[in-house]
């Protein structure tokens, strides 16, 4: 069996859904299809959660925009005949939720509302395929993907999920299942999510448990490129990558796949394909076990909105491992991601993936021990497989705030 994952862009309107149908139709073997919320609707739902928990009057306006967007897709897909009732029940459920009072747990409320994006998109695609004569079974993934109760960043309970996924996706009654990415549920059946863009990870979880022949992620790019084409020109497509290379790239900030996707697939040796839904015949990029040496071009990864924080002890003492330990753990506790670190005798330089607003409280506490200097609005550039020419070109006419090179990877913090 295989697993296909379609992201928001691949189902953003009726013609995109029809294209997904063509891709699914051309696969004749057993298949699990994991789908994200349509288009940008998760962003819209985030606004809805905010408005719901602030109890402001924009709530219904956002809800109507959300429903209207899907209604248009439904009308385009189903025309006069209309759509089976299931999807309307979901809008009613969401409406009921919005009429209740929010609890004090924002992250909990977030997951209870954000999940409607995926529930509705999968319902629409599943019903559309069934109506077109392509039989499939819609599955509520919350019955089999079990997690702890860290809302918005839930951790998978692998043992339990393993058992339930094998039971649920047994292919005894169908060759095609359609289910949601990104979400799961707790022991008490409360909805949880795996973190933004988590649907790739869902596809990897299902693929690894069912020992899929491959997992394919269908995107609007021809595969993995040497840089984000929206940010750089002259990108080249990379035909194959090792799991390790893919983890390094995505961890540095390449948005093409979620960084958690590789581990479950690596551990079972299942190939991950990144393919274009625009050119489905193209081979795309294959991420798999590579024993031979392959030549890779320089790969650029840009991570924007970074802050450089420089701390030095107020008593002029030398930065020690205890300082590093204390500061890093403190930042982790405040959910601030450290992307790079460098120290000198007196200075501890920390690059954080945060805005200056996020850091206000943190600075208050750190200033008890340290003098603080900081710069905001920086870009962290990671270049894998760098060459001297590429480095020279990259630094030309730019202010470099920090630089770090290893054998394979160069990192630099720049202001553009
Ligand atoms: N719909 C969710 C998001 O936009 C999950 C995903 O797309 O993977 O973050
Ligand atoms: Mg999305």
């Amino acid at each position: 069996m295989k697993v296909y994952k379609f992201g928001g862009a691949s189902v953003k309107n009726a013609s995109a859904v029809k294209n997904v149908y063509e891709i699914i139709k051309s696969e004749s073997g057993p298949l699990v299809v994991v789908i994200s919320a349509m288009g940008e609707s998760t962003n819209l739902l985030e606004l809805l959660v905010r408005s719901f928990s602030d109890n402001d009057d924009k709530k219904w306006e956002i809800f109507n925009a959300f429903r209207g967007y899907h209604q248009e897709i439904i009308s385009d897909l189903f025309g006069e005949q209309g759509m089976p009732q299931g999807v309307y029940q979901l809008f009613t459920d969401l409406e009921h939720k919005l009429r209740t009072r929010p609890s004090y747990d924002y992250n909990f409320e977030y997951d209870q509302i954000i999940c409607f994006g995926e529930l509705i998109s999968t319902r629409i695609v599943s019903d559309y395929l069934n109506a077109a004569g392509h039989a499939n079974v819609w599955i509520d993934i919350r019955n089999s993907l079990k997690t702890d109760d860290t809302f918005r960043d839930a951790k998978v309970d692998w043992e339990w999920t393993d058992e339930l996924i094998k039971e649920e996706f047994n292919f005894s009654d169908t060759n095609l299942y359609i289910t949601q990415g990104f979400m799961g549920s707790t022991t008490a059946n409360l909805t949880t999510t795996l973190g933004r863009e988590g649907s790739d990870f869902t596809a990897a979880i299902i693929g690894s448990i069912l020992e899929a022949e491959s997992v394919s992620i269908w995107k609007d790019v021809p595969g993995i490129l040497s840089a984000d084409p929206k940010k750089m020109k002259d990108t080249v497509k990379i035909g194959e990558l090792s799991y390790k290379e893919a983890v390094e790239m995505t961890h540095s900030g390449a948005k093409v796949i979620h960084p958690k996707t590789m581990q479950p697939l690596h551990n079972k040796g299942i190939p991950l394909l990144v393919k274009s839904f625009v050119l489905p015949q193209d081979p795309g990029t294959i991420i798999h076990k590579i024993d031979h040496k392959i030549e890779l071009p320089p790969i650029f990864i840009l991570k924007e909105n970074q802050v450089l924080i420089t701390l030095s002890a107020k008593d002029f003492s030398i930065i020690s491992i205890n300082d590093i330990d204390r500061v890093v753990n403190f930042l982790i506790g405040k959910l601030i991601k450290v992307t790079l670190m460098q120290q000198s005798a007196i200075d501890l330089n920390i690059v954080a993936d945060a805005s200056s607003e996020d850091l206000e409280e943190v600075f208050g506490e750190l200033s008890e021990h340290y003098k603080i200097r900081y710069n905001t609005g920086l870009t962290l550039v990671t270049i894998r497989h760098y060459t001297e020419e590429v480095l020279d070109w990259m630094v030309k006419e730019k202010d470099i705030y920090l630089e770090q090179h290893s054998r394979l990877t160069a990192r630099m913090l720049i202001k553009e």
Side-chain angles (χ1 to χ4, degrees), residues 5 7-9 36-43 118 196-197 199:
K5 182 259 168 175
S36 304
M38 293 179 151
E40 299 290 323
S41 55
T42 304
N43 294 341
E118 269 68 15
R196 286 297 310 258
E197 308 304 327
S199 298

Side-chain angles (χ1 to χ4, degrees), residues 207-224:
S208 77
I209 292 173
L210 299 179
E211 311 214 348
E213 188 184 319
S214 63
V215 171
S216 301
I217 301 205
W218 296 88
K219 312 256 333 166
D220 55 0
V221 285
I224 295 188

Side-chain angles (χ1 to χ4, degrees), residues 9-236:
S10 62
V11 286
K12 67 175 185 208
N13 54 34
S15 67
V17 172
K18 289 179 185 166
N19 181 50
V20 162
Y21 171 42
E22 292 303 319
I23 294 173
I24 294 174
K25 219 165 57 174
S26 61
E27 174 57 47
S28 54
L31 184 67
V32 175
V33 175
V34 173
I35 307 178
S36 304
M38 293 179 151
E40 299 290 323
S41 55
T42 304
N43 294 341
L44 199 54
L45 287 171
E46 282 194 341
L47 296 179
L48 185 59
V49 177
R50 183 44 67 211
S51 171
F52 169 70
S53 77
D54 293 347
N55 210 3
D56 67 27
D57 44 356
K58 282 215 287 303
K59 179 166 84 175
W60 295 114
E61 208 178 291
I62 304 170
F63 172 74
N64 286 334
F66 175 79
R67 188 173 51 188
Y69 166 66
H70 288 92
Q71 185 55 59
E72 199 178 320
I73 296 177
I74 292 169
S75 306
D76 288 351
L77 287 173
F78 294 87
E80 290 294 288
Q81 102 201 47
M83 204 185 147
Q85 278 309 301
V87 75
Y88 294 108
Q89 185 56 47
L90 290 168
F91 288 115
T92 309
D93 292 347
L94 176 56
E95 197 177 330
H96 283 158
K97 172 69 190 162
L98 295 175
R99 290 193 195 285
T100 62
R101 280 213 158 258
S103 69
Y104 291 111
D105 186 342
Y106 185 82
N107 292 346
F108 165 78
E109 296 298 350
Y110 179 101
D111 285 354
Q112 310 321 301
I113 290 179
I114 215 88
C115 63
F116 280 95
E118 269 68 15
L119 288 170
I120 290 168
S121 72
T122 50
R123 192 84 251 182
I124 294 173
V125 176
S126 167
D127 284 350
Y128 176 68
L129 264 59
N130 274 325
H134 201 72
N136 69 89
V137 172
W138 180 87
I139 288 201
D140 186 334
I141 196 69
R142 291 173 296 186
N143 298 328
S144 48
L145 201 159
K146 290 293 169 181
T147 70
D148 70 0
D149 59 0
T150 318
F151 296 102
R152 292 183 76 176
D153 189 23
K155 305 288 168 303
V156 177
D157 179 333
W158 279 95
E159 222 180 286
W160 200 16
T161 299
D162 192 278
E163 205 176 294
L164 294 171
I165 293 263
K166 281 177 181 150
E167 243 169 65
E168 185 94 85
F169 297 86
N170 58 35
F171 292 100
S172 62
D173 49 351
T174 183
N175 234 5
L176 175 62
Y177 291 106
I178 294 193
T179 196
Q180 310 76 40
F182 174 53
M183 48 196 275
S185 83
T186 66
T187 334
N189 294 327
L190 298 170
T191 303
T192 52
T193 60
L194 307 172
R196 286 297 310 258
E197 308 304 327
S199 298
D200 297 345
F201 185 36
T202 305
I205 295 167
I206 297 174
S208 77
I209 292 173
L210 299 179
E211 311 214 348
E213 188 184 319
S214 63
V215 171
S216 301
I217 301 205
W218 296 88
K219 312 256 333 166
D220 55 0
V221 285
I224 295 188
L225 305 175
S226 58
D228 182 343
K230 289 181 197 121
K231 293 181 187 158
M232 281 176 99
K233 49 181 193 236
D234 300 332
T235 55
V236 289

